[in-house]
């Protein structure tokens, strides 16, 4: 149990800005095992985002509360995945060879592709979340529970599909200096099982209200397939930035899928 707690706190420290015990470090062995808890981080981030929304929605408009909820999630993770998304936009937008793409992604400066990508990403998140929440509030007396599970499911499922790329593809960079390199070294059935357990439980609970919600898995994994295929084509695998970009894109795809299912099916 003590070891599992250490692994969990390693995961929490690596993927969020939440304070952890002082004895927790980025030990490569623990960081590799921490992938099993990555979707569980989505439970935490999604819950914080929901609590922020619920608090501000008491005295502000739904749209403003959603913006503040998104800000809360960014502050919780330190824009960890958003940064990866921006790097991927810059790298694949400006590079035409594997070496050039990887070099651009490693640059800490943000370019035009990254800036434009982030603006469009946040606009989509804001619009889709706002529409979904209003739809739940108008048509359902259990809206508060559905909104909670909407936040948590989006963050946990998107993290599941992102980390699943580690299980099916090779790490692209040869240098050992990357902070994501230890995650790519090896994994066991515990990492796979843990990831799918924590990644799918919130969605299964969400589907209690309506089984059609489970269909949201399909477009999310389709998006994951094409992203992984695209990364494989251009850089022969993935990087930590690719995983961050996958999480962000699949989170938006999930919101879009839920809204579509609720409106048209």
């Amino acid at each position: 149990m003590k070891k599992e707690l250490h692994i969990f706190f390693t995961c929490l420290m690596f993927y969020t800005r939440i304070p952890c015990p002082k004895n927790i470090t980025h030990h490569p062995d623990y960081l590799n095992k921490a992938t099993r808890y990555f979707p569980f981080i989505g439970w935490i981030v999604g819950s914080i985002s929901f609590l922020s929304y619920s608090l501000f929605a008491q005295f502000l408009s739904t749209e403003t509360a959603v913006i503040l909820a998104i800000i809360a999630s960014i502050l919780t993770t330190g824009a960890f995945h958003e940064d990866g998304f921006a790097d991927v936009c810059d790298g694949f937008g400006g590079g035409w060879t594997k070496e050039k793409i990887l070099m651009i992604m490693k640059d800490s400066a943000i370019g035009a592709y990254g800036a434009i990508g982030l603006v469009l990403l946040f606009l989509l998140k804001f619009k889709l979340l706002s529409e979904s929440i209003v739809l739940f509030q108008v048509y359902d007396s259990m809206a508060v529970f559905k909104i909670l599970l909407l936040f948590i499911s989006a963050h946990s499922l998107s993290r599941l599909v992102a980390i699943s790329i580690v299980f099916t593809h090779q790490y692209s960079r040869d240098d050992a200096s990357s902070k994501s390199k230890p995650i790519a070294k090896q994994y066991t059935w515990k990492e796979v099982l843990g990831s799918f357990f924590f990644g799918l439980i919130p969605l299964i609970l969400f589907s209690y209200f309506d089984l059609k919600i489970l269909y949201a898995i399909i477009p999310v994994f389709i998006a994951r397939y094409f992203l992984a295929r695209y990364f494989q084509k251009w850089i022969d695998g993935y990087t930590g930035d690719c995983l961050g970009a996958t999480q962000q894109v699949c989170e938006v795809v999930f919101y879009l899928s839920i809204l579509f299912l609720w409106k048209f099916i």
Side-chain angles (χ1 to χ4, degrees):
M1 180 60 71
K2 186 176 180 180
K3 182 179 179 181
E4 285 300 317
L5 280 174
H6 196 130
I7 293 171
F8 166 73
F9 279 120
T10 300
C11 185
L12 188 68
M13 182 177 65
F14 187 76
Y15 292 112
T16 75
R17 294 292 178 87
I18 298 173
C20 294
K22 293 182 178 180
N23 65 317
I24 305 300
T25 62
H26 291 110
H27 191 280
D29 186 46
Y30 284 123
L31 189 56
N32 181 254
K33 292 180 173 62
T35 55
R36 71 186 71 165
Y37 292 114
F38 182 43
F40 186 71
I41 298 300
W43 294 28
I44 298 171
V45 177
S47 296
I48 292 173
S49 189
F50 168 77
L51 289 173
S52 299
Y53 163 78
S54 298
L55 173 64
F56 291 113
Q58 300 301 313
F59 52 91
L60 296 172
S61 67
T62 296
E63 290 78 9
T64 304
V66 166
I67 293 173
L68 292 169
I70 294 172
I71 292 173
S73 68
I74 293 171
L75 291 175
T76 302
T77 63
F80 191 72
H81 309 300
E82 289 81 1
D83 177 64
F85 174 81
D87 286 342
V88 165
C89 288
D90 281 331
F92 287 89
W96 293 99
T97 64
K98 174 181 177 180
E99 292 73 22
K100 184 67 174 178
I101 292 171
L102 292 176
M103 182 182 71
I104 294 173
M105 286 199 293
K106 202 169 183 66
D107 189 346
S108 59
I110 187 171
Y113 291 108
I116 294 169
L118 284 175
V119 170
L120 296 176
L121 177 78
F122 290 137
L123 281 174
L124 274 172
K125 280 189 183 183
F126 163 71
K127 186 62 176 175
L128 294 172
L129 263 173
S130 298
E131 284 192 30
S132 298
I133 289 172
V134 169
L135 201 63
F136 291 161
Q137 290 173 334
V138 170
Y139 293 104
D140 208 303
S141 60
M142 302 290 287
V144 64
F145 299 106
K146 289 185 177 180
I147 295 170
L148 169 62
L149 289 170
L150 174 69
F151 276 100
I152 296 177
S153 298
H155 283 277
S156 61
L157 183 62
S158 60
R159 282 165 172 76
L160 166 62
V161 296
I163 206 65
S164 70
I165 293 178
V166 174
F167 306 146
T168 58
H169 291 72
Q170 295 295 315
Y171 191 71
S172 181
R173 294 189 188 276
D174 295 325
D175 63 292
S177 61
S178 172
K179 62 182 179 181
S180 298
K181 182 70 174 180
I183 300 174
K185 285 184 177 179
Q186 61 182 2
Y187 61 89
T188 67
W189 64 270
K190 291 182 180 179
E191 282 67 61
V192 177
L193 185 62
S195 295
F196 275 86
F197 176 80
F198 291 119
L200 295 177
I201 285 296
L203 184 65
I204 292 172
L205 293 175
F206 198 5
S207 69
Y208 170 79
F209 295 103
D210 196 327
L211 281 175
K212 67 185 178 185
I213 289 173
L214 289 175
Y215 288 126
I217 293 177
I218 299 173
V220 170
F221 271 90
I222 289 175
R224 181 263 187 210
Y225 168 78
F226 281 107
L227 284 168
R229 183 181 178 184
Y230 185 74
F231 299 148
Q232 184 66 38
K233 174 184 176 182
W234 285 99
I235 60 173
D236 301 320
Y238 70 91
T239 66
D241 288 330
C242 294
L243 300 184
T246 301
Q247 186 277 318
Q248 289 292 296
V249 171
C250 289
E251 182 184 339
V252 169
V253 170
F254 178 79
Y255 294 138
L256 181 61
S257 302
I258 291 297
L259 191 59
F260 180 85
L261 288 168
W262 219 263
K263 278 190 172 183
F264 302 110
I265 296 181

